[in-house]
Amino acid sequence: DQGTPQDRLRLYQSALQVEQSPEKRRTLYAGIAQLQRVELGDATAAQATLVRALEEDPDDRGSAEALFT
């Protein structure tokens, strides 16, 4: 059991607060946005997450592509 989507969202957000690796942070942002969009049905929150990812790393092609799909 992986918990509710809200539980997983809190876990991802907690991990993001302490993670320093840019690659792992990109993965966390992507996971958060996917969870928000697909499981929670919150496209606005997913978009805001992707914008934060791009503010942190403007060269993050994955976040840029996800933002416009």
Side-chain angles (χ1 to χ4, degrees), residues 21-53:
S21 164
E23 292 154 1
K24 290 180 182 176
R25 289 182 66 79
R26 280 193 297 273
T27 299
L28 287 166
Y29 275 123
I32 290 169
Q34 176 77 5
L35 186 95
Q36 289 168 322
R37 182 177 29 237
V38 175
E39 295 189 52
L40 297 174
D42 191 344
T44 301
Q47 183 179 23
T49 296
L50 294 168
V51 167
R52 282 194 305 275

Side-chain angles (χ1 to χ4, degrees), residues 1-12 31 34-35 39-40:
D1 183 24
Q2 296 184 10
T4 67
Q6 291 85 359
D7 291 338
R8 291 195 312 279
L9 180 60
R10 282 191 290 274
L11 287 172
Y12 280 136
Q34 176 77 5
L35 186 95
E39 295 189 52
L40 297 174

